[in-house]
Amino acid sequence: MSRLAPLSGFPEWSPSERIVEAFVLDTLRDVFALHGFGEIETRAVEPLDRLGGEAEASKAVYMLRRRGGEKFEFGLHFDLTVPFARYVEERQGQLQFPFRRFQIQKVWRGERPQEGRFREFYQADIDVVARENLPAHLEAEVAVVMARALAALPLPAARMRMNDRRLVEGFYRGVGIEGVAAALRSVDKLGKIGPDGVAKELEGQRVSDDAATAILELAKIQSPDSSFREAVLDLWETTPTHGDERAQAVLGEGLNALVALIDSVNAAVPGTAMADLSIARGLDYYTGAVYETTLDGHEDLGSICSGGRYDSLVAGGGFPGVGMSIGVSRLVSRLVSRELLVATRSVPSAVLVAVIDEANRPLSDSIAARLRARGIACEVSPTAAKFGKQIQYADRRGIPYVWFPGDGEDGEVGVGQVKDIRSGDQVPADADAWMPPADDLRPRVVRG
């Protein structure tokens, strides 16, 4: 038989790693629901013409094909935005706007796997979508909800770097750049190809040297508060511009909005938001605030959470919104590989019910049933070996308690002895009353 080769880019988790992943997913769900976001689920496939837009990920769509049959005109979704747009378009008459949604599902992308980047992975999205006008304060609210969701996890501090596309567009047009979208896509690569690489791409777009220098200077501006405002205005005053009043108005609108956004988010979740004018988010549909989030000490992982404001969710116009997305599998892969979060045990069972001998296995089964009826996860020993070997089995499994049944001769079938195999303490117990300490009742996730 040929050796099975692993498929790169398709993560598989051990029981203890899966506990960490489930903890992350459950925490996100709880925080999103706490802030009034309702969960939806969409189908995994979309027509290929819907997946064939301008987004870079659409070039890596997995298409469906029945074995031995012809290819279907469907593909697996590569993000949750495309199916969400279709969902809103189809149900617009049934939804209450602004519509607050969260969605946690797997997505698929046929791209080159590397650390933190998969072909199959979980995403967790939140969006607020309006029918016509979307209030600006929702740009801050979505960021605050995401910041609180990350803060609810025992993680290193999350830094949410923010920019505003209006600020950037106004500045770019002011220095004479007409192909703003293309220039933005180049600046979005700044962390990968560096200033020289960006400058070379801009040269290929026929951006003047002065304009390229100016937008690279703009990308250097960062601050943990609204003090970046003065730096932007100083740069504008000292940079040769084309006197475009419209460009200056758009820049001012974006600048004021970004100041308000940074202040609002930091007021709600102190120390989270910072202005970073290198954040471009190369996707063309963003029109206002844009966000990227990194973990302190793990900047090499890249952004774990990103998003922004858009004026049109649905093709053809309408439904402005703002949303953010967490790359859950990217985050979990770093958590488990570096043991930043670990499960206190790898199995749900808190108790192994020992078996005196095979004739008494029904007695052990009865005790296990009583414990389970009270919410205590347990299992019955697979063999009636000596008690010492049954204890060793529990230890290998990571089960903290072993229950030794009484013989039932006095009619008290649920009475026995329970042993904490970590400390060696053993006490009398009744299956209808005994409860393990809260920390032992279920596997917990703790900092490694």
Side-chain angles (χ1 to χ4, degrees):
M1 180 181 291
S2 61
R3 182 182 177 187
L4 290 176
L7 291 176
S8 62
F10 295 89
E12 295 181 325
W13 307 121
S14 68
S16 58
E17 292 168 341
R18 176 59 181 151
I19 288 170
V20 172
E21 183 185 55
F23 169 76
V24 171
L25 294 173
D26 290 345
T27 301
L28 296 178
R29 281 193 176 91
D30 289 346
V31 175
F32 297 159
L34 191 65
H35 289 82
F37 288 79
E39 185 172 15
I40 69 168
E41 182 173 356
T42 59
R43 65 198 185 206
V45 300
E46 295 291 335
L48 287 178
D49 58 354
R50 277 199 172 264
L51 297 173
E54 296 181 1
E56 186 68 23
S58 69
K59 300 175 183 178
V61 171
Y62 280 107
M63 294 182 291
L64 296 186
R65 180 174 184 173
R66 190 185 316 171
R67 185 168 186 174
E70 62 185 61
K71 182 174 62 181
F72 295 109
E73 292 301 312
F74 299 115
L76 295 170
H77 56 221
F78 57 79
D79 70 4
L80 298 180
T81 301
V82 170
F84 179 51
R86 190 247 327 141
Y87 182 94
V88 171
E89 185 176 6
E90 290 179 352
R91 292 167 173 78
Q92 57 185 280
Q94 306 161 24
L95 302 177
Q96 297 296 317
F97 293 96
F99 181 51
R100 304 165 67 89
R101 146 279 197 184
F102 80 89
Q103 188 172 354
I104 301 176
Q105 286 183 236
K106 283 191 172 183
V107 301
W108 294 266
R109 291 183 191 172
E111 60 183 7
R112 184 173 66 87
Q114 51 189 296
E115 183 181 10
R117 193 174 292 275
F118 302 103
R119 291 171 170 166
E120 177 185 44
F121 54 96
Y122 269 113
Q123 278 192 191
D125 287 17
I126 59 171
D127 283 83
V128 182
V129 175
R131 183 180 287 278
E132 295 178 358
N133 299 314
L134 186 82
H137 67 82
L138 290 173
E139 294 180 23
E141 182 179 350
V142 164
V144 166
V145 173
M146 274 300 193
R148 287 175 174 163
L150 292 171
L153 298 166
L155 300 173
R159 304 295 172 189
M160 198 172 286
R161 299 179 296 153
M162 301 179 175
N163 199 355
D164 192 288
R165 290 290 283 264
R166 292 163 293 186
L167 185 166
V168 175
E169 180 172 349
F171 191 95
Y172 283 25
R173 293 197 182 282
V175 298
I177 297 176
E178 295 182 1
V180 172
L184 274 170
R185 284 192 290 270
S186 294
V187 173
D188 195 40
K189 303 174 186 176
L190 190 58
K192 296 179 180 178
I193 64 177
D196 291 343
V198 172
K200 186 174 182 179
E201 286 200 4
L202 293 173
E203 182 182 359
Q205 298 166 22
R206 297 184 179 180
V207 173
S208 71
D209 291 344
D210 287 344
T213 298
I215 66 175
L216 285 171
E217 285 299 313
L218 181 71
K220 292 179 182 178
I221 296 176
Q222 298 183 3
S223 74
D225 50 36
S226 58
S227 61
F228 72 93
R229 180 190 182 94
E230 295 305 316
V232 173
L233 294 176
D234 288 346
L235 181 61
W236 178 261
E237 292 297 326
T238 58
T239 298
T241 64
H242 289 221
D244 187 333
E245 293 184 2
R246 173 57 183 161
Q248 186 170 358
V250 172
L251 179 138
E253 181 183 355
L255 185 58
N256 292 336
L258 185 57
V259 167
L261 176 63
I262 298 288
D263 288 344
S264 295
V265 175
N266 280 336
V269 190
T272 294
M274 63 176 291
D276 184 341
L277 304 195
S278 71
I279 302 301
R281 301 296 300 151
L283 298 176
D284 294 346
Y285 55 74
Y286 290 122
T287 57
V290 287
Y291 326 86
E292 287 193 356
T293 309
T294 56
L295 293 180
D296 282 359
H298 299 272
E299 290 80 5
D300 64 302
L301 186 62
S303 178
I304 60 164
C305 176
S306 58
R309 177 169 180 148
Y310 45 85
D311 282 342
S312 179
L313 178 69
V314 174
F319 302 101
V322 58
M324 295 188 73
S325 175
I326 294 180
V328 177
S329 297
R330 170 177 288 198
L331 177 59
V332 170
S333 70
R334 177 56 60 98
L335 298 180
V336 299
S337 66
R338 303 289 178 89
E339 296 186 342
L340 300 177
L341 296 184
V342 296
T344 54
R345 64 178 187 262
S346 63
V347 294
S349 300
V351 180
L352 176 75
V353 181
V355 177
I356 300 171
D357 52 44
E358 288 302 331
N360 280 287
R361 182 171 290 277
L363 173 62
S364 297
D365 289 338
S366 173
I367 292 169
R370 294 185 185 201
L371 293 172
R372 292 175 187 136
R374 298 175 49 243
I376 303 171
C378 62
E379 57 188 86
V380 177
S381 176
T383 67
K386 293 182 178 179
F387 282 164
K389 289 188 176 181
Q390 294 187 54
I391 293 172
Q392 289 176 357
Y393 172 80
D395 187 41
R396 289 195 302 270
R397 292 272 290 155
I399 301 172
Y401 295 94
V402 175
W403 188 287
F404 302 110
D407 57 19
E409 290 181 357
D410 297 327
E412 297 179 295
V413 175
V415 172
Q417 299 272 326
V418 64
K419 183 183 186 72
D420 183 336
I421 65 173
R422 299 161 298 183
S423 66
D425 294 340
Q426 184 169 322
V427 296
D430 185 334
D432 294 326
W434 177 84
M435 181 68 70
D439 283 351
D440 289 334
L441 185 59
R442 297 283 184 270
R444 294 176 297 113
V445 173
V446 298
R447 277 193 176 226

